[in-house]
Amino acid sequence: MKKSLQIDRWHALRVAMYALSLCAMNGGAQAAALDLSDCDVLIGTRSALAYKKWISDNERRANAGERQAIRSRAADAVRRLACHEEKLNGSSGWGVTITMSGGAAGAEKDGPSVTTRPTGIPNIELRPDALKTLNDAVRYTHQAGVFDPGYKSLSAQTVVRYATALPERIDDAYADAAGAYAYDCVLKLPYGTRVTAAGCAIGRTARAELIPRVTPERRAAADAAAQEWAEKLHNPEGR
């Protein structure tokens, strides 16, 4: 029973990312031609011309600054990372993280946060394809996070899971987590169809886990910039 539940979670993750990408895609006919939950297609085990065409078209739009395309590119990278995790970890790749808030300087004092998520690929540095996908996922979610708190949070979460393999991205990940926290937990603002309370719980956990890895001075600067970013995102005209 436990094994089936874990496999179902993997399927649910891919379906969720599939739905996220469809929301960001343009053109119903193109969306209908793709199955973005098929790992064989996403990581190249099986070729799909429609997927390759979508990647090429979406990359062009993303590079031109189109926000929906930037989101789609990020979602696709996260889906591909999930597929690598499923392939290499199987059904054993889920773990539970309990973060005790208030235990470290700067952490929130509102009780423990419990997160169930993929634990990450052990020694991913030795898996070139998976490592490249990991770096794509972090880079593209970070880019989308410039204008979307959900992707800001997702970028931070990914670095948290792979902190050993991504030491150079820790400071940026904290800044992303702080931005998502400021938007969802401090200002408690809606964004699209996201559930603010759920976003707050996730952002709070990522930020708490990154706190011990960042110097107090850098945390203070990141927190101030995060608050400014969140307020500007909500009120871009400064009214």
Side-chain angles (χ1 to χ4, degrees):
M1 181 65 68
K2 184 177 181 181
K3 183 176 181 181
S4 296
L5 179 59
Q6 289 169 329
I7 292 173
D8 286 345
R9 282 172 175 166
W10 273 117
H11 178 70
L13 175 62
R14 293 204 311 273
V15 169
M17 295 310 300
Y18 169 58
L20 177 60
S21 182
L22 288 187
C23 289
M25 287 175 62
N26 291 322
Q30 187 182 32
L34 296 172
D35 180 3
L36 298 180
S37 66
D38 187 339
C39 279
D40 287 336
V41 170
L42 295 182
I43 62 177
T45 306
R46 179 166 58 84
S47 177
L49 293 179
Y51 175 63
K52 291 180 179 179
K53 183 179 185 304
W54 175 76
I55 287 290
S56 177
D57 291 345
N58 191 76
E59 182 74 8
R60 174 180 50 78
R61 295 198 305 272
N63 289 339
E66 185 181 316
R67 288 189 173 187
Q68 294 287 48
I70 292 171
R71 289 188 181 98
S72 289
R73 181 168 62 183
D76 179 70
V78 172
R79 280 194 313 273
R80 287 188 285 112
L81 178 60
C83 287
H84 281 291
E85 289 171 342
E86 179 178 12
K87 177 182 177 182
L88 296 171
N89 292 350
S91 62
S92 63
W94 283 85
V96 176
T97 298
I98 300 177
T99 303
M100 296 300 298
S101 298
E108 287 63 54
K109 298 180 180 180
D110 47 5
S113 178
V114 180
T115 305
T116 303
R117 63 189 178 198
T119 56
I121 299 167
N123 300 315
I124 193 171
E125 301 94 330
L126 305 179
R127 309 277 188 173
D129 290 345
L131 182 61
K132 180 183 182 303
T133 302
L134 169 62
N135 279 291
D136 285 347
V138 173
R139 181 169 76 254
Y140 293 147
T141 51
H142 179 73
Q143 289 174 0
V146 170
F147 53 83
D148 190 317
Y151 281 100
K152 218 174 210 5
S153 176
L154 188 54
S155 187
Q157 294 169 59
T158 305
V159 174
V160 165
R161 288 195 293 120
Y162 287 100
T164 302
L166 300 170
E168 74 284 359
R169 295 190 181 272
I170 296 296
D171 283 358
D172 281 346
Y174 180 82
D176 281 338
Y181 175 83
Y183 197 90
D184 289 329
C185 301
V186 178
L187 299 181
K188 299 180 180 179
L189 295 168
Y191 189 91
T193 59
R194 294 174 67 250
V195 178
T196 303
C200 174
I202 294 169
R204 182 177 64 232
T205 298
R207 179 173 177 270
E209 291 185 43
L210 288 163
I211 280 174
R213 298 175 179 270
V214 181
T215 66
E217 294 78 10
R218 289 180 177 175
R219 288 203 312 266
D223 288 340
Q227 185 69 22
E228 182 179 351
W229 171 84
E231 292 173 355
K232 186 175 181 179
L233 182 67
H234 177 62
N235 185 13
E237 301 301 326
R239 293 188 296 269

